[in-house]
C-alpha cells in the first residue's frame, strides 16, 4: 500500500499521529471513519497523487497506530474538536497552511469541526456518508434506534469493550482481504484486536453523544456555517437516503455552498469504488 508515500509518526502535541503522505500539488487531507484506519484510502490516495495532489492520510487519535490520549470524565479527549486540532497541527507540521479536507463516517464529523473552527485553513470540505451528529439525534426514531443501536450501546461504560474484545472479528465482521486489499485488511484486524484502540474508538462515540453534540448545538445557536465550498458524497447502497430522503438538504443548513454526489457503493466507498471517489474528490478539490 501507499507506494512512494512517506509513512511516519508526527507529534502534534497531546498525541503522535501515524500518517502516510505523498504527492506534489494542492494538499488534500483524508480522514477515515470507524473502525478503519488511514489505510482505508489506499486505493484512493494514489489516484489523487496521479491527478496532481499532495495527499495526507493519518490515523485519527485513538485509532490504528496513533496515540491514545488519557481518558477524561466527559470523554472530550476524543471529541471531534480535539481530533480536528490534531489534524490542523499535522497539516501545519507538514507545511500546509491551507488545504482541502475529506472525512468519511466518523471522520466527516472531524472534517466539519475543522471547517467550522478553522475556516482560514480549510479551502474545500467533503463530507461522506454522514450528517451532523446533532441532526441525526434530532431525527432519531424507532428505525434509527434499531439500525444504529451501536451509537447508544457504545456510550455505555465497560460493557461494549467486553463484548467486542470477546471476538472482534465476529463483532465487526469483515469484507475479507480480497475486497479490502490484503495489507488494509491486516491493518484493520490489528486495530480491532488491540484493546486500547477499541476503547478509544468507543470513546469517539461517547464524546459524540455528549460534548460533540453540545458543540454542534452551540454552532447552531451562534449561526455558524461552513464558509468554504462543500461537497457531500453518499453511498447508494448505504442507508443515507432511507433515513433522510435527501441528505444533502441537511448539509445545506450547515454550509453556504454545498452540493451532493451519489457514489455507487456500499458504506466503505473508498475501498469499494475508489475510482468514483477519487474522481469526485479531484474534480471538487482542483
Amino acid at each position: 500500500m501507499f507506494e512512494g508515500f512517506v509513512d511516519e509518526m508526527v507529534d502534534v502535541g497531546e498525541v503522535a499521529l501515524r500518517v502516510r503522505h505523498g504527492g506534489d500539488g494542492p494538499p488534500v487531507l483524508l480522514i477515515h471513519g470507524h473502525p478503519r484506519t488511514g489505510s482505508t484510502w489506499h486505493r484512493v490516495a494514489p489516484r489523487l497523487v496521479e491527478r496532481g495532489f499532495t495527499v495526507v492520510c493519518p490515523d485519527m487519535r485513538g485509532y490504528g497506530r496513533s496515540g491514545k490520549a488519557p481518558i477524561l470524565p466527559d470523554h472530550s479527549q476524543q471529541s471531534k474538536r480535539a481530533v480536528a486540532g490534531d489534524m490542523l497541527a499535522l497539516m501545519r507540521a507538514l507545511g500546509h497552511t491551507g488545504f482541502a479536507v475529506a472525512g468519511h463516517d466518523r471522520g466527516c464529523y472531524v472534517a466539519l469541526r475543522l471547517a467550522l473552527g478553522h475556516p482560514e485553513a480549510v479551502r474545500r470540505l467533503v463530507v461522506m456518508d454522514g450528517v451532523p451528529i446533532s441532526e441525526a439525534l434530532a431525527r432519531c426514531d424507532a428505525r434509527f434506534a434499531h439500525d444504529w443501536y451501536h451509537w447508544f450501546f457504545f456510550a455505555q461504560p465497560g460493557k461494549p469493550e467486553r463484548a467486542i474484545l470477546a471476538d472482534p472479528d465476529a463483532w465487526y465482521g469483515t469484507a475479507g482481504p480480497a475486497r479490502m486489499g490484503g495489507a488494509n485488511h491486516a491493518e484493520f484486524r490489528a486495530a480491532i484486536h488491540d484493546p486500547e484502540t477499541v476503547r478509544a474508538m468507543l470513546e469517539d462515540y461517547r464524546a459524540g453523544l455528549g460534548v460533540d453534540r453540545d458543540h454542534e448545538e452551540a454552532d447552531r445557536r451562534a449561526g455558524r456555517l461552513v464558509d468554504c465550498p462543500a461537497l457531500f458524497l453518499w453511498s447508494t447502497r448505504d442507508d443515507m437516503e432511507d433515513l433522510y430522503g435527501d441528505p444533502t438538504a441537511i448539509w445545506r443548513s450547515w454550509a453556504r455552498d454545498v452540493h451532493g454526489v451519489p457514489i455507487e457503493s456500499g458504506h466503505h466507498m473508498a475501498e469499494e469504488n475508489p475510482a468514483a471517489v477519487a474522481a469526485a474528490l479531484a474534480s471538487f478539490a482542483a
Side-chain angles (χ1 to χ4, degrees):
M1 293 189 297
F2 296 97
E3 183 177 355
F5 280 61
V6 175
D7 185 348
E8 62 179 334
M9 300 294 294
V10 176
D11 188 341
V12 295
E14 190 175 17
V15 296
L17 302 183
R18 192 263 182 97
V19 59
R20 300 165 171 105
H21 56 97
D24 184 17
V28 180
L29 170 64
L30 302 179
I31 308 175
H32 64 86
H34 170 270
R36 298 301 205 252
T37 71
S39 69
T40 195
W41 303 104
H42 73 107
R43 291 169 175 156
V44 171
R47 285 177 162 89
L48 291 176
V49 169
E50 290 174 0
R51 290 172 178 256
F53 293 92
T54 295
V55 184
V56 180
C57 301
D59 293 355
M60 288 190 288
R61 70 159 61 191
Y63 284 76
R65 285 174 46 194
S66 286
K68 280 67 175 167
I71 293 175
L72 300 175
D74 66 353
H75 314 290
S76 59
Q77 85 289 338
Q78 203 65 38
S79 70
K80 309 312 167 286
R81 180 172 290 173
V83 181
D86 293 342
M87 297 298 158
L88 183 65
L90 170 65
M91 295 302 279
R92 287 176 174 169
L94 297 177
H96 307 305
T97 56
F99 51 89
V101 58
H104 177 256
D105 185 76
R106 304 300 291 186
C108 85
Y109 310 137
V110 176
L112 172 63
R113 181 55 45 203
L114 192 54
L116 285 171
H118 305 281
E120 77 288 350
V122 177
R123 296 172 178 168
R124 295 283 190 278
L125 169 67
V126 184
V127 283
M128 305 163 66
D129 273 345
V131 299
I133 293 170
S134 59
E135 298 281 6
L137 292 174
R139 291 166 172 76
C140 181
D141 57 13
R143 175 175 183 162
F144 184 92
H146 179 275
D147 294 349
W148 289 51
Y149 74 94
H150 60 283
W151 274 32
F152 310 104
F153 178 57
F154 286 175
Q156 306 310 308
K159 291 184 179 180
E161 287 91 335
R162 294 180 64 186
I164 292 169
L165 291 168
D167 191 343
D169 294 315
W171 180 270
Y172 282 112
T174 177
R179 188 169 180 179
M180 292 178 63
N184 179 38
H185 178 260
E187 190 167 307
F188 158 73
R189 288 198 69 245
I192 65 173
H193 281 262
D194 177 55
E196 290 189 3
T197 299
V198 169
R199 188 175 190 189
M201 291 194 296
L202 295 172
E203 287 290 304
D204 180 341
Y205 285 82
R206 290 162 183 159
L209 296 188
V211 292
D212 292 332
R213 181 184 188 181
D214 292 343
H215 293 161
E216 289 185 5
E217 291 178 344
D219 291 330
R220 300 302 274 170
R221 290 192 297 271
R224 296 187 189 95
L225 294 173
V226 173
D227 287 323
C228 68
L231 172 67
F232 174 57
L233 304 180
W234 73 95
S235 304
T236 57
R237 298 196 299 274
D238 201 12
D239 60 359
M240 285 288 101
E241 292 177 341
D242 294 336
L243 287 170
Y244 306 117
D246 176 12
T248 308
I250 296 175
W251 282 108
R252 291 192 186 105
S253 68
W254 285 81
R256 300 183 193 280
D257 176 13
V258 61
H259 69 281
V261 174
I263 301 293
E264 182 61 32
S265 174
H267 179 62
H268 294 288
M269 63 171 76
E271 297 168 2
E272 298 177 35
N273 195 346
V277 170
L281 293 178
S283 176
F284 180 68

